[in-house]
Amino acid sequence: MEENLQNKHIVFFDGYCGVCNFWVQWILERDKKDQFLFASLQSDFGQKFLAERGLNTKIFNTMYLWKPGRYYLEKSKAVLKIANLLGGIYKVSALGKIIPSFLSDKIYDTVSKNRMKLANQKCYLPTPHQRAKFIQV
């Protein structure tokens, strides 16, 4: 499995959050290059990721993007990188880099703080191909 991870970007998300699950579905539908895997922050894999980096293992209000052996990004930087990796029209998101991180993260934090009010929990059933992209769901 470690070899497979080296060639992927792993999105860590709050597995109990409707907004987070919406965005996971959104990425899955647009991941034409098959470059993303997904893991909830609550999973053993997610908890290990957080603990190894000294990140909070009890609060799940941040999305992380991890490229094993290279980097991990959080909040707005993760969102912008995901859009850039998806390519096509989503590369326009690179313009978001002109906004200072402290401002874009402030927007991210506001959405994160209110995320449970913004989306209902929905039972999402991924296709078999999409299901293979989840790590310890």
Side-chain angles (χ1 to χ4, degrees), residues 23-127:
W23 285 111
V24 167
Q25 292 171 46
W26 188 88
I27 297 166
L28 276 168
E29 291 170 5
R30 289 157 181 81
D31 184 19
K32 305 301 182 207
K33 299 176 195 169
D34 195 31
Q35 55 192 330
F36 294 100
L37 294 174
F38 302 87
S40 74
L41 290 165
Q42 294 90 339
S43 69
D44 290 342
F45 188 77
Q47 287 290 291
K48 181 180 177 195
F49 168 83
L50 294 170
E52 286 176 349
R53 287 154 188 82
L55 301 168
N56 192 318
T57 60
K58 303 283 186 229
I59 299 174
F60 309 114
N61 61 356
T62 299
M63 178 177 21
Y64 298 92
L65 177 67
W66 180 41
K67 177 71 172 174
R70 307 237 348 251
Y71 62 81
Y72 80 90
L73 303 171
E74 59 186 76
K75 297 184 180 187
S76 62
K77 287 182 182 172
V79 171
L80 292 173
K81 182 69 172 180
I82 290 167
N84 188 51
L85 289 165
L86 288 172
I89 193 165
Y90 306 110
K91 279 198 167 233
V92 172
S93 69
L95 295 174
K97 290 181 181 178
I98 63 172
I99 300 170
S101 290
F102 77 91
L103 282 178
S104 57
D105 281 347
K106 182 93 168 147
I107 294 166
Y108 182 97
D109 289 339
T110 300
V111 172
S112 177
K113 183 175 150 184
N114 296 293
R115 71 190 193 279
M116 296 303 187
K117 298 174 197 170
L118 296 173
N120 293 329
Q121 273 293 11
K122 296 179 183 174
C123 184
Y124 172 66
L125 297 174
T127 66

